[in-house]
Amino acid sequence: MTEPAGEKKKNRIVRAAMWALAIFSLGWIFLRVPLPEVIRAVKMVEPLGFASAALGFLLCTFALDSFTHHALFKRFNGPADARQVIMARGESYLLLALGFLYGQGGMAYLASRRLGKPLIEISGSILFLMFCTLCSLLVFPTIALLFFREELVTPELVAGPEWRIAVTWIIASWPIIALALIFWIPDWNFSLRKKLKGGIYVAFDRARPADYALFVGLRILQIVLWLFFAGLAMASADVHIKASELALLGPIVGLVTAVPTPGRIGPAQGAYLVLFHGRAADANLLAYSLLWAAASTALRWIFGVLFLAAGRVWDREK
């Protein structure tokens, strides 16, 4: 199917904007942190420890992510073969290497094709999981502010922009989530709610409180894995950040990382410098974030290619 000319132009504009954002971000970063300092910091990274953390994170999150998607499709889209879901998730890592949004779109398409389910309904389930992911990203920052406030709230933190970013994000997000949950109360009896009962809204329409609890919980577990493995990788790069500070500010970096710049480079590194400035040397922070992005992208490409090749062999044998 030929892509319409208007859609091609729109896609070119979006790609150009993402390239411009990445270049602008990197320019700002290297004006702030001289390149020779970053190169020296990269050379000081302990390679075996860093690579082990990156690989461990990929393998553990892939297993958890595959389980999550299988449970998701089984709950909202009917019977779902676990092997097909695992295969689709592995193949989607080729697109996930480009960015979070690409990975979600790719997973919707591949799962729909492998499971023989309508694309719009699978996309609806993915959309529900993305909503639960947003909810999970708020949990640790909220707990950190409520229960670790005395430890976290230092004069240096309050004076910096990261404090305002974190608090504004949390305060603004919870009411929006609450309104969304109220809107999707089962059997809510008003005209707009009645119209949104199928298609891309199928998962939201069918979801019950236990579903939100399950999938938010699974996404929280994935964040715990990130905190653990990112902490190991940071230590290999001589970046030592308190777990409470990482739990408070790390999810904000996760949101910024979803911006689909080429290779997910630029905004994420800027977020690390802004949010964790003063907690580690800027050059070390930048070395860690660049290497983590590069390792994640490379491993996902390798993983995706292996699954794509295995999937083709399996499909021929069926």
Side-chain angles (χ1 to χ4, degrees), residues 84-304:
Q84 293 283 17
V85 174
I86 293 171
M87 196 65 68
R89 193 54 183 151
E91 292 169 340
S92 74
Y93 268 42
L94 277 170
L95 289 170
L96 185 61
L98 300 176
F100 174 76
L101 297 178
Y102 294 112
Q104 299 309 301
M107 183 57 184
Y109 170 76
L110 291 164
S112 171
R113 183 173 63 86
R114 287 200 164 275
L115 297 175
K117 309 286 186 181
L119 176 59
I120 192 168
E121 292 189 4
I122 292 291
S123 299
S125 296
I126 295 289
L127 187 62
F128 174 79
L129 184 60
M130 291 173 66
F131 177 79
C132 291
T133 301
L134 173 62
C135 295
S136 71
L137 287 171
L138 286 166
V139 170
F140 282 126
T142 302
I143 292 174
L145 287 176
L146 290 176
F147 299 103
F148 296 94
R149 186 180 179 88
E150 292 184 2
E151 178 184 348
L152 288 171
V153 181
T154 62
E156 294 78 13
L157 180 61
V158 174
E162 60 269 22
W163 175 255
R164 293 188 294 275
I165 293 170
V167 173
T168 301
W169 173 52
I170 292 170
I171 291 176
S173 297
W174 279 122
I176 295 172
I177 289 172
L179 289 173
L181 292 174
I182 292 170
F183 179 85
W184 288 108
I185 289 174
D187 304 321
W188 197 245
N189 192 24
F190 63 98
S191 58
L192 179 59
R193 178 65 180 83
K194 288 179 180 179
K195 293 177 181 178
L196 304 179
K197 283 187 171 294
I200 201 167
Y201 303 107
V202 62
F204 287 97
D205 179 56
R206 297 175 184 173
R208 299 297 183 264
D211 296 315
Y212 287 98
L214 172 63
F215 291 106
V216 170
L218 288 170
R219 283 319 201 195
I220 288 174
L221 183 55
Q222 189 161 320
I223 293 172
V224 171
L225 289 174
W226 177 80
L227 290 171
F228 176 73
F229 286 108
L232 294 178
M234 286 180 178
S236 300
D238 197 25
V239 174
H240 304 281
I241 298 173
K242 294 179 182 178
S244 55
E245 293 179 341
L246 195 59
L248 170 64
L249 301 174
I252 301 176
V253 177
L255 284 178
V256 175
T257 304
V259 177
T261 53
R264 298 183 298 171
I265 296 295
Q269 285 67 46
Y272 273 107
L273 290 181
V274 171
L275 295 172
F276 296 108
H277 176 67
R279 294 165 178 79
D282 284 350
N284 291 2
L285 278 170
L286 189 52
Y288 157 76
S289 61
L290 287 170
L291 287 174
W292 186 262
S296 298
T297 299
L299 287 171
R300 284 167 176 164
W301 271 106
I302 294 170
F303 221 59

Side-chain angles (χ1 to χ4, degrees), residues 62 65-71 73-74 78-93 106-117 122 126 307-308 310-318:
F62 176 76
D65 206 22
S66 297
F67 173 82
T68 300
H69 280 88
H70 179 249
F73 299 142
K74 187 177 179 181
D81 182 79
R83 188 173 176 181
Q84 293 283 17
V85 174
I86 293 171
M87 196 65 68
R89 193 54 183 151
E91 292 169 340
S92 74
Y93 268 42
M107 183 57 184
Y109 170 76
L110 291 164
S112 171
R113 183 173 63 86
R114 287 200 164 275
L115 297 175
K117 309 286 186 181
I122 292 291
I126 295 289
F307 268 90
L308 190 63
R312 288 180 176 178
V313 172
W314 184 37
D315 291 341
R316 285 198 300 266
E317 292 176 350
K318 288 174 62 178

